[in-house]
Structure formats: C-alpha cells, structure tokens
Amino acid sequence: MGKERGVTAVKPIKITDTTLRDAHQSLWATRMRTEDMLPILEEIDEAGYFSLEVWGGATFDVCLRFLGEDPWERLREIKRRVHKTPLQMLLRAQSLVGYQHYPDDVVREFVSLSVKNGIDIIRIFDALNDVRNMVVPMEAAKKAGAHVQASVVYTMSPVHTIDHYLETATALAELGADSICIKDMAGLLTPFRAYELVSLLKKKLGIMIHLHSHYIGGMAVGAYLKAAEAGVDVIDTASVPLAFGASQPPVETVVRAFQDSDYDSGLNLRNLFHIANYFEALRKSRGFERGITRISDMRVFEHQVPGGMISNLVSQLEEQRALDRIHDVLNEIPKVRAELGYPPLVTPTSQIVGTQAVLNVLSGARYKLVPGEVKAYVRGLYGRPPASINHDIQKKIIGNEKPLFERPADNLEPGMEKAKRDSLGLARSPEDIMSFAIFPQIAKKFFEERKNGIIPNSEIKTAASAVKETKAAKEIWTTG
Amino acid sequence: MGKERGVTAVKPIKITDTTLRDAHQSLWATRMRTEDMLPILEEIDEAGYFSLEVWGGATFDVCLRFLGEDPWERLREIKRRVHKTPLQMLLRAQSLVGYQHYPDDVVREFVSLSVKNGIDIIRIFDALNDVRNMVVPMEAAKKAGAHVQASVVYTMSPVHTIDHYLETATALAELGADSICIKDMAGLLTPFRAYELVSLLKKKLGIMIHLHSHYIGGMAVGAYLKAAEAGVDVIDTASVPLAFGASQPPVETVVRAFQDSDYDSGLNLRNLFHIANYFEALRKSRGFERGITRISDMRVFEHQVPGGMISNLVSQLEEQRALDRIHDVLNEIPKVRAELGYPPLVTPTSQIVGTQAVLNVLSGARYKLVPGEVKAYVRGLYGRPPASINHDIQKKIIGNEKPLFERPADNLEPGMEKAKRDSLGLARSPEDIMSFAIFPQIAKKFFEERKNGIIPNSEIKTAASAVKETKAAKEIWTTG
Ligand SMILES: [Co+2]
Ligand SMILES: [Co+2]
C-alpha cells in the first residue's frame, strides 16, 4: 500500500492528545496534578500532535475543589513548556466549565482569559445541541483569536438523524466555526455511521472535521479508520496507560493501524512508548486503574448509558442501599430520556436524566420527586430539548408554567461586577475573579486556604478515595 | 446505510466463537474445565455462530497434564450439547496438539479420531508455513469428512511478502483446502494490510477466507472491518469476559460495529450479553484476570514479540534472577529470528527463538549454549525455515552436518503399534492409545491416577498458581 496506491491522495491523519484532560477525567476522576504533567510536557510537545487537550471540562473545578490548585496557574505552567503544539480546551458553551448557564459577560471574560493564559483551540459544545447557547462563546473565542471548534454532540434517538447533525453543523459553520467536532462521548458511533456522517459533513461544509470518541465498548478505533477514509482531519487519542475503557483509544494503536496506509500520521512509535512509560509509572505510583471494558460498558450498545454514568448510578444507589434496583434504573433511563425530549447523555443532562430515573424507581411513583435541576431543564433553563417534552410529564413537573422560549442566558443578569465586589480582598487577579464568578463558594474556600497557606498542594489522594470523593460531590458527575 | 446502500451486495459476516479454546488458552492458561463449559453450551449453540472453536491447541495437553480430564471425553460432552453449530479445532499440522512432529500413521489416526468424536472443522497450521508438513493432516481431515481449513501464519519479515502468503495459500488450495485461514497470532495485521491480503486471496482463490487475529495491541477490530470490506467470510471473536489483551476481540463490539452496514452478522446482542454474564461470573469465581493491553503488549508493534511470549520470557528470566536483562533479550530476539531464517513466532518456534535469545544474553556469548530444540530446528526437524539460516550460526550449532532436506516426518518410524504395545493394560480405548502416542509420560500418569481414582477432578486451581505452573512447564509455552 502506502504512497504508490494512487486511488486516494496521501492524507496524513492528525492526532490530538487528550491524556492531560479527557483521559484522566474519564479514568482517574480528573486527579492528575500539575506536578504530574510538567516533567513530560516537552516530550509530548515534540511528538507531532495536532493539539494537546489540557484544560477545561472538569479539570477547572477539580483543581480548585479537590487539588488545591489554581487552574489558571496550571495552564500557564503548561504553556511555558509547550511551544510547538497548540493547546486545546473543552468549553461547555454557556456553562463554561460549570454546570449551569452563566451570563454573557462572564462567558466573554472567561473565554478571553483562557486565550490570554495560553489556550489556542477552544472546543465548544452544548449538551442539547442548542446552537443559541454556542453563539456568545463562539463569538468570544473568535474575538480572542482562538481557533473556534464547534461540536455536535452525537447520540441516538428518533430525532437525532443524520439531517439533525448536518443542520446543526451547518448552523455552526455559518456562525464562523473554524472546525467542527463530532463529539461521541459514549462511544456509540459505529464505523460505517462515522463514514457516512463525516463524508456528508466534509462534502457539505468543506471545513476541518475533528472526531472525538470514547473507547467504552471498543468501536472507536474502527470508527476512526472509517472516518479517515471519509476524510476526517483530526482524531482524539490518549497515551496507552490512560487509554481504553471510559477514555479515548490508545494513540499507539491508531498510529500503527494507519502506518500501512495513505493516512500515516507520521508520529513515531518509539517516542510514544517513551511517553507512555512515564504515564505508566505515574499510574502505578498513584494506584490508578487502567481503562477496561466490562459487560456493563458493552451494554451501552443496548441502553446507551455510558459506563461513567453507570458507575455514578451505582454510587447513588449504594448510598440508598438500593443497588439491587440498578437494572430497573437502567430500564427507566431510556423512558425518562424519551419523555424529556431525548437529551444526549452528557454533562449536565446525563445527571438530570440519571437522577430523575433513580428517583422514579426508588420513590415507587414516577415524577413524584423532581429535583431542582430537572425542573430547571423542563423550564428551558438549559435550552431547547431536541424533541418536545412529554406534555403530561411537563405538566406534572411545572404545572401550567410556560417554559422559557428564549435563549436561557437572555434572562440572566450580568455577573462580573457582582463577582468583583463579592471577591474583594480575596481575589488577587482577573483570573481569581473569574474563578469566583463560576464557583463562588469553592473559589472563596480556595482563596482563604491559599491566604492561610493551608493549600493541600502536596497531599496525594489515593485513587480509591479520590474517586469516592468525586462521586459524593454530585456537581462533578461528568460525562464527556 | 444498511440494505439500501446498494454499492456493495449485502454480505453478512460470519463469526466463530473461540471462548472455549483460544480465549482461555490466551488469558487463563487454558484452565477452563469441561464442567465450566457444559451449562452454557446450548445457549452458545443457539447464538448463530458459524462455528465454535472448542478443542485442540493447548487444551489437549492441559486436560491430561493439569486438569485430570480426558480431552476426548470433553469433546464428546460438548458434541452432545451442540447440535446446530459446527465444532472446530486447531491442529498444529504434523505436530498435532504436541510440540514435535509425529509419524504419519499417528497423524492420520489422530485426525480420524477427532472427527469421530465430534470435530467438524479442522484448522491446520504449520509454524513455518512449510506446506509439506500440512499434506498428511489435510489428506486425513478430507478423508474423515471434515471441513479442511488450511492456515497461513501471518508474521512480518523481509521474506514474508504478500506474494509469500499468496503462494502458500494457493498451494494449500491446490491440496484441497475447503477454506483458508489467515492466522495472525500476534495481532500484527494492520487494517489496510488485511484489506490488501484478503482482497488478493479472494480474487486469486475464490474460496472461503477466515481471519483469525488476536487483540494484543488493539488493531484486530479494525483489521476485521477492512477484511470484511475486502470480502472475508468469517472472523474469530470471544465473549467479552474472555476477550481483549492476548485473546480475540469481543464478539459484542464486532456485532455492533457491523450492524450499521451490509455486513451485519445478524447475531443478537441481548443473547450475547446473557452468555457473557455466564463467563463473567465464572471469571470472578476463579479469580482470573481480564485481557488487557499494557505497554509491553503495544511494543509488539516494534519488536513483534507477542505479549504471551514476553510473559514467558519474564518467567524464565525471573527463575535466573536476571529480570533486569529483559530489554537485552527483547533486542536479541529479532537478531536470533533473522539468523534462524525468520520463523514466525508461534508454537513451537516462539519457544525456540525465545529460549535461544535468553541463553545468548545470559551466557554472555551468543550461541555458546544451544538447547536441543534449537539444534533440531537447525537440523530441519521442524521443516524448512522461511529464509536460509545464517551460515556461520548454522556451522556453530551443527558443524558440518547437513540439515534434513526432506519433509521431517519422512524420517520418522510409524508410531501406532508401539503406542498400542506400550500402553497395554492402561489404555481403555483407541482414544487412550492416541493420548499415549502423543504424550506418553503424561498419559501414563493420567491413566494410572484414573485407575486408582485419584484424578484431581474437583481440584480448582487459583488463577495465579495455574499460570505459574504452566510457565514452569516449558512444553506449554504456547503462542497462537
Ligand atoms: Co470526551
Ligand atoms: Co490464536
């Protein structure tokens, strides 16, 4: 094969490394510390990656809440060591790196500060594929000079047709996206579906397409192969000690798989193994598990509930001493999801659907107990659901109240002035004010501990306790 | 996609289940017992597999040597419960299920008894792809009425070109093979190479092509995809609790991956999960590990040494308190392999090359110590190496002695009469005599214990002790 094949043009596949963000978020409860990252950064920078996803998602929250680390400082420390490869972050659209929608002034300022501190590429997604929630962050990213990567979240439902993705992606391209990401957070994208979707997107939009998949049930390498044949530009992988299972496919496999083809990435396996050795030593020293595929992960093919979400459901049920109801909950989830208009199961809608399903099963009466975030969802405070919410269920939850028709953030008061005021005497920088604007209590505690010099910077959690701690804090019930 | 695609004809992929042979040989040191298999057989029989690989390889030896089980009785018990799906075995050509070449009369009788006891499909391979070693077993299988599946062992070297495989496969087809198996025991076959190889074989031979790959570094699902597009007929998988790592890819992934395509297998995921639950419970009850991909497994892409072989090298070195030399040994293996004419690393040549490499490193002088099986290999007693053996090395090992030019078994005296004589009073059946003909000492011990009623039929080994025991017995140093 190789260059003499001649049927297709030589088109090396580009690769993004997620080891420092999504991989440890998916496998290690986001517990990699800045000090763990720094020694290997120069080597990763030399490897030839398209970009390094190192920031955003749950990392911001976990830095402040559990690691006693300033997330902005982490970003600057990384930037200081990475000179060749663009740094990438994941942004939850109007929710930024949090779990609710923030006012536009906070969104604009956050994006501006992210770029100022070192981010080159901003991947933006909205859990409902509600394009209105992506307008302001995209504008802000564009203005700050970043590469704007707009995502379509991939899921399966009667309304998530190929046309839905094409229309959404077209709208995002028209909003000025520099590239489109297909975000397959549950590893549901089959290889032949990937081929179809990427082909159509390339044909219709002609811009760079980036495929983000999770290993989970094991289809991602196949999806990447067929996506490459359809013209995908970039794919996401992780170093093997942080690959597989709930994380991304291993870079080493993908690099080798493409070596016999016109898509050869050009990355060097020897270098990649050297990097992998570093992370394997780190993994062992912390007692973190590898990514593995259990039957429960495979079952995503049946019920579409990602493995990470299942383990959170298990924790919730254990707390209630009701683990024997797990199968009832797994059967309830698709019903709740349908009734709520088929939201994709990604942060924060995975929590919304999951919590309601648990309550429906445990309370013995469906929608008898409805938590605040489900009410907020039905009120339209997260945006427009992909399909209509079941009328009876809606009535049960919010009565005759009319759901919000506008973009949720249109109803929010500006937040920066208040954050500045309330963080006075604690915040030392615009970045501190921003941390406070997003997570006021957590940031306040962090600032106070920092002032008193009791930041637990050297306290290394064991894997088991870290994972347990994260599950207990329902705000970090992240999927994606 | 699906049936309306129209570009290619609908061609469902057929699937062979290896759970009861290769999968537990690769992951559990071949320690699944007959009693573990029986309760789930009817369900597996209903699943819609093309065939079930349940016998041969290392299972015969391990039954007699470690499990106190009669391998023939296992086969009959399986056959009694499987009515729809053909039973398949792996035969090491003239080495049958052992580690040396046996005389033709033993080969013919073994094949005849295998079919008589329930085997429908015989997969035959020679470690050196020396077709001469496959003639007698193929003839015997044909005569016994079995489906004759002849294998080409896949490896990488300057002489293992696409033409080498085409020529070998053509010769096997001319010998009457009903199908050709591409046997990729180290998971080295890249997806695009698989496409090329299968396309050419289908075009040239027009007969059924079966692809057997191991997961190891993670390319197998991709290889299966591209092989399907090239027209492969059957692929090998295992139930998820016994898949991944050194074993086959999981059937669940493959079934799901093809569902969106013209290659949809038609197998039902719900049924497959039900079967997987059975094996997961078995796995846990025995304390056996899952298949996982470590960096050491990934390195197969660099040095081509399969993970199973590495763990055996590690054991050998640990015994010698020389584990720190593992990297020297891994660097030595490709040199030894080249000097010995590039044998594929599969039973028994993986042991031949591995042992010599260890001795070369530990003795401090290359080929100063040469074990008997390496001498036998150089003398031609395993057949013709793929390339010439290095002249100086050959001289060092066997001096001016001329290597065998003929087929190794041409020089062997018939063995059945002697086996009958020597097993008199112990053997109760033609099958017993055959067990004795292949493994005289082990069979004798088994017969005596059976007579005295001290067969350890209920003794369940723990996973760790079983694996250790197997590694200590160098004869079960199996790869493939
Ligand atoms: Co993700
Ligand atoms: Co095998």
Side-chain angles (χ1 to χ4, degrees), chain A residues 190 215 217 226 229 253 260, chain B residues 190 215 217 226 229 253 260 298:
Chain A
T190 62
Y215 193 80
K226 292 304 296 176
E229 292 188 325
T253 303
D260 276 349
Chain B
T190 62
Y215 193 80
K226 293 302 296 176
E229 293 188 324
T253 303
D260 276 349
M298 283 286 182

Side-chain angles (χ1 to χ4, degrees), chain A residues 156 190 192 196 215 217-218 222 225-226 229 244 253 256 260-261 273 276-277 290 292-293 295 298-299, chain B residues 1 156 190 192-193 215 217-218 222 225-226 229 244 253 256 260-261 273 276-277 290 292 295 298-299:
Chain A
M156 293 168 70
T190 62
F192 295 94
E196 189 184 10
Y215 193 80
L225 274 178
K226 292 304 296 176
E229 292 188 325
F244 291 116
T253 303
R256 178 66 192 119
D260 276 349
S261 78
F273 287 136
N277 276 330
R290 296 170 196 285
I292 53 171
T293 296
I295 303 183
M298 283 285 182
R299 287 216 146 137
Chain B
M1 314 276 289
M156 294 169 69
T190 62
F192 296 93
R193 183 87 166 174
Y215 193 80
L225 274 178
K226 293 302 296 176
E229 293 188 324
F244 292 117
T253 303
R256 179 67 192 117
D260 276 349
S261 79
F273 287 137
N277 276 330
R290 294 171 197 285
I292 53 170
I295 303 182
M298 283 286 182
R299 287 218 145 138

Side-chain angles (χ1 to χ4, degrees), chain B residues 58-78:
Chain B
T59 62
F60 193 98
D61 185 2
V62 170
C63 270
L64 281 177
R65 190 194 300 247
F66 296 119
L67 301 179
E69 282 194 27
D70 181 350
W72 303 98
E73 181 63 17
R74 170 182 292 183
L75 177 53
R76 289 189 296 269
E77 288 294 325
I78 293 172

Side-chain angles (χ1 to χ4, degrees), chain B residues 429-447:
Chain B
S429 64
E431 287 79 5
D432 275 358
I433 296 170
M434 181 51 63
S435 300
F436 187 90
I438 302 178
F439 297 117
Q441 289 90 353
I442 295 161
K444 185 162 181 271
K445 183 159 172 281
F446 172 80
F447 297 148

Side-chain angles (χ1 to χ4, degrees), chain A residues 77-356:
Chain A
E77 288 295 325
I78 294 172
K79 192 65 174 182
R80 204 162 290 150
R81 288 161 181 83
V82 176
H83 306 293
K84 297 181 175 175
T85 321
L87 297 185
Q88 187 172 318
M89 74 168 291
L90 181 68
L91 192 80
R92 297 177 186 140
Q94 203 78 25
S95 300
L96 302 175
V97 290
Y99 311 93
Q100 64 192 68
H101 283 211
Y102 294 101
D104 290 338
D105 65 330
V106 175
V107 170
R108 291 186 202 278
E109 175 71 2
F110 181 86
V111 169
S112 160
L113 284 174
S114 301
V115 175
K116 221 173 264 173
N117 281 271
I119 289 297
D120 302 291
I121 302 174
I122 306 190
R123 175 178 291 170
I124 303 168
F125 80 96
D126 178 72
L128 299 173
N129 285 332
D130 185 341
V131 171
R132 303 171 308 162
N133 294 333
M134 299 172 72
V135 174
V136 173
M138 283 177 70
E139 268 179 23
K142 198 72 155 183
K143 196 178 159 201
H147 174 115
V148 183
Q149 182 166 98
S151 306
V152 288
V153 170
Y154 183 79
T155 187
M156 293 168 70
S157 88
V159 294
H160 287 93
T161 58
I162 287 279
D163 282 344
H164 164 82
Y165 297 116
L166 287 180
E167 281 162 23
T168 308
T170 304
L172 295 171
E174 283 166 0
L175 283 174
D178 296 304
S179 61
I180 297 290
C181 172
I182 303 167
K183 183 174 162 66
D184 172 28
M185 65 283 165
L188 290 173
L189 189 60
T190 62
F192 295 94
R193 183 87 165 175
Y195 183 90
E196 189 184 10
L197 188 51
V198 171
S199 298
L200 290 169
L201 285 174
K202 283 303 286 188
K203 197 174 148 192
K204 181 148 188 209
L205 305 179
I207 64 174
M208 180 181 274
I209 306 290
H210 199 134
L211 177 54
H212 173 80
S213 198
H214 284 249
Y215 193 80
I216 310 191
M219 293 198 300
V221 174
Y224 284 178
L225 274 178
K226 292 304 296 176
E229 292 188 325
V232 87
D233 299 276
V234 200
I235 52 177
D236 281 7
T237 65
S239 184
V240 53
L242 283 101
F244 291 116
S247 179
Q248 270 70 56
V251 63
E252 300 83 355
T253 303
V254 168
V255 165
R256 178 66 192 119
F258 282 116
Q259 271 177 353
D260 276 349
S261 78
D262 298 331
Y263 314 104
D264 185 356
S265 70
L267 270 63
N268 179 300
L269 277 175
R270 190 167 292 258
N271 298 345
L272 296 175
F273 287 136
H274 203 259
I275 293 167
N277 276 330
Y278 174 85
F279 286 115
E280 178 67 1
L282 178 68
R283 187 187 72 76
K284 283 184 180 163
S285 76
R286 290 290 169 82
F288 279 116
E289 277 189 26
R290 296 170 196 285
I292 53 171
T293 296
R294 300 174 192 77
I295 303 183
S296 53
D297 303 291
M298 283 285 182
R299 287 216 146 137
V300 73
F301 299 150
E302 272 190 331
H303 51 47
Q304 300 188 38
V305 182
M309 187 172 163
I310 291 179
S311 72
N312 283 303
L313 292 168
V314 166
S315 299
Q316 285 198 356
L317 290 172
E318 269 174 350
E319 272 171 42
Q320 309 289 325
R321 295 170 188 274
L323 192 53
D324 57 316
R325 307 300 300 275
I326 182 71
H327 288 290
D328 298 330
V329 170
L330 286 175
N331 288 332
E332 176 70 8
I333 283 174
K335 288 182 207 157
V336 171
R337 189 171 164 242
E339 286 159 350
L340 295 185
Y342 296 107
L345 297 176
V346 65
T347 307
T349 38
S350 50
Q351 184 194 354
I352 289 169
V353 172
T355 306
Q356 189 60 57

Side-chain angles (χ1 to χ4, degrees), chain A residues 20-32:
Chain A
L20 303 180
R21 204 287 297 177
D22 202 351
H24 75 108
Q25 178 175 327
S26 299
L27 296 181
W28 299 358
T30 331
R31 285 310 196 283
M32 206 190 292

